[in-house]
Amino acid sequence: MRAEQVRRKQPPGYDRRCRELSEEEHAQKEAEGLTPVVRFKIPLVGQTRFSDVVWGEVKFENNTLDDLVLLKSDGYPTYNLANIVDDHKMEISHVIRGEEFISTTPHHVLLYKALGYEPPQFAHLPRLMGTDRSKLSKRHGAVSIEEFHKQGYLPEAMLNFLALLGWSLDDKTELMTRQELIASFSLERVKKTPASFNREKLDWMNGVYIRSLDPEDFLQRSLPFLERDLPPEVVRPLPVDYIRQIMPLVHERAKTLADVPELTRFFFTVQLDYDTELLIAKGMTVESTHHALEVARQQLAELPAFDAESLEEMLRPLAVELELKTGQLFGALRTAITGQTAAPPLFQTMAVLGRETCLERIDRALDRL
RNA sequence: GGCGCAUUCGUCUAGCGGUUAGGACACCUCCCUCUCAAGGAGGAGAUCACCGGUUCGAAUCCGGUAUGCGCUACCA
């Protein structure tokens, strides 16, 4: 019947053919072996209205409502019936659910009344959509909260971000703690328009929350990600005391906890893999780079204390001595020592890595040139 | 097809009759600076989907159009 209606471009739905069966007709159908369902006889005229915290006063014409099934042919109640009875028995005061239920709400209201129940307060929330305005689904952008956790997002950042989907406090407040959220959230300020996920903004917000973590907390939360994502050749268990020295160097550089392994990888791997070209800073040649690294290597080997401060006190004058810009000398050293052109501050990085490792890496860079 | 809802900078949004249409992300410039970040200071970016109407005055109220979305099960 349904297919037929669609084909004829008729509104699909129950045609009420059995709404007014007589006793005889009823008996006859049963004699034919038909197992009936029980439907809700919706009033044919008038309108049903209810007030929704988000939607305001909502009004539906009764003649657009169809006679929904209350009891299935197997005798079990449908969701629509069970839902109402259950909510009533549980003394539910507020029904807060997705906007897609707004259309069936008048049926529910009518049912509450038919059963002599007092309808609860309704609040229909806007749907969440993907960045491209498409519906969020498992195969399209949407991920479970566990998935976000795996991707390195902090629970407190997620809570803050999610709260802002479909709701806002005012025209400027964005960052709110859990307590502030609890204190200021209100259904009245929830909007009807579908909210959509802005991943870039989530990344930014997560970064804000990561930076607000105290060092030890950041370390503890990062550990599982390091265990999971650092290359397999890095020996486990990971040296926590060593990591404790590394973490402050990448703390403000991580947008997610999942970034941490990538940002710190060179602290753990023995073999650095990089393009030799990267050693040669702008305005320099193979020769000048080789010379600079050689002199630096020699002085580093003799430096009394290998800490960040001493390193800086030694390397800055060296740049002048070599007639190089600091960026040129430091750039060459950075690539030699980290294998990257973008990395945490050089002196602190060197201090954490230690003299032996730094010298080895410079030697290896010299071999390449 | 029917019913309902929505449409404001690139993006997420504030706004509920009178605002220079506010904020955030992203972007650009400058400062800081050994790179990258972070931080600071600026900048650009919106004829408020379109067409009418009401009003002294409309992003805000009312029609219509367009587009998008939801619902339209013997599923929950």
Side-chain angles (χ1 to χ4, degrees), chain A residues 31-244:
Chain A
E32 288 169 9
L34 288 177
T35 47
V37 297
V38 176
R39 284 179 180 274
F40 185 31
K41 214 167 176 178
I42 299 277
L44 267 10
V45 295
Q47 37 193 216
T48 297
R49 52 185 75 213
F50 58 93
S51 99
D52 185 286
V53 181
V54 177
W55 287 52
E57 288 303 311
V58 183
K59 187 174 72 181
F60 279 88
E61 293 296 329
N62 288 153
N63 60 22
T64 64
L65 273 28
D66 56 358
D67 293 350
L68 45 78
V69 174
L70 260 23
L71 291 177
K72 298 186 266 185
S73 56
D74 62 6
Y76 279 92
T78 59
Y79 162 79
N80 291 306
L81 207 216
N83 166 258
I84 271 86
V85 175
D86 192 45
D87 280 2
H88 177 257
K89 292 290 184 194
M90 291 181 73
E91 298 177 41
I92 298 298
S93 60
H94 290 70
V95 170
I96 303 172
R97 62 213 329 188
E99 170 223 57
E100 63 269 27
F101 283 93
I102 200 86
S103 299
T104 50
T105 304
H107 297 97
H108 294 167
V109 170
L110 253 15
L111 247 185
Y112 275 106
K113 287 178 179 162
L115 293 168
Y117 299 159
E118 185 63 26
Q121 181 64 254
F122 292 101
H124 288 89
L125 274 22
R127 293 181 57 91
L128 261 37
M129 297 167 69
T131 318
D132 55 0
R133 298 216 140 231
S134 68
K135 187 163 75 169
L136 227 45
S137 68
K138 280 178 192 145
R139 14 187 21 164
H140 191 97
V143 279
S144 63
I145 201 74
E146 290 84 7
E147 187 59 29
F148 280 106
H149 191 251
K150 281 186 201 156
Q151 290 178 16
Y153 291 94
L154 266 33
E156 48 271 58
M158 287 307 296
L159 180 73
N160 193 156
F161 185 76
L162 257 17
L164 257 16
L165 289 176
W167 175 83
S168 61
L169 176 61
D170 54 31
D171 61 344
K172 48 196 60 165
T173 312
E174 306 252 22
L175 296 168
M176 283 171 277
T177 63
R178 183 191 186 85
Q179 287 70 28
E180 288 168 336
L181 242 16
I182 291 171
S184 53
F185 184 86
S186 65
L187 284 171
E188 285 74 18
R189 280 194 62 85
V190 170
K191 67 186 176 74
K192 281 192 277 187
T193 52
S196 70
F197 225 88
N198 186 173
R199 191 59 174 250
E200 286 181 333
K201 196 158 179 171
L202 205 213
D203 284 346
W204 162 75
M205 189 173 280
N206 199 56
V208 172
Y209 276 90
I210 283 183
R211 274 172 251 130
S212 76
L213 258 28
D214 69 62
E216 185 62 21
D217 197 5
F218 178 51
L219 165 77
Q220 293 302 332
R221 298 215 213 187
S222 297
L223 244 27
F225 289 87
L226 288 166
E227 293 283 0
R228 187 187 74 185
D229 295 338
L230 241 23
E233 61 266 27
V234 176
V235 291
R236 314 298 160 100
L238 296 170
V240 177
D241 287 336
Y242 178 51
I243 294 174
R244 191 167 279 118

Side-chain angles (χ1 to χ4, degrees), chain A residues 14-31:
Chain A
Y14 176 55
D15 61 3
R16 292 179 164 142
R17 62 174 65 187
C18 297
R19 188 176 162 110
E20 307 292 350
L21 286 185
S22 64
E23 286 295 326
E24 297 80 60
E25 289 168 320
H26 201 276
Q28 191 193 337
K29 296 268 186 198
E30 284 193 356

Side-chain angles (χ1 to χ4, degrees), chain A residues 243-288:
Chain A
I243 294 174
R244 191 167 279 118
Q245 294 178 265
I246 297 170
M247 295 310 279
L249 304 184
V250 297
H251 197 151
E252 67 182 21
R253 291 172 172 75
K255 277 190 161 41
T256 70
L257 295 175
D259 290 343
V260 175
E262 182 62 28
L263 289 168
T264 59
R265 197 172 34 120
F266 69 86
F267 279 105
F268 301 95
T269 50
V270 176
Q271 197 81 307
L272 295 184
D273 182 33
Y274 60 91
D275 189 341
T276 305
E277 291 293 306
L278 298 178
L279 282 168
I280 303 158
K282 199 161 61 177
M284 291 185 74
T285 62
V286 173
E287 290 71 30
S288 63

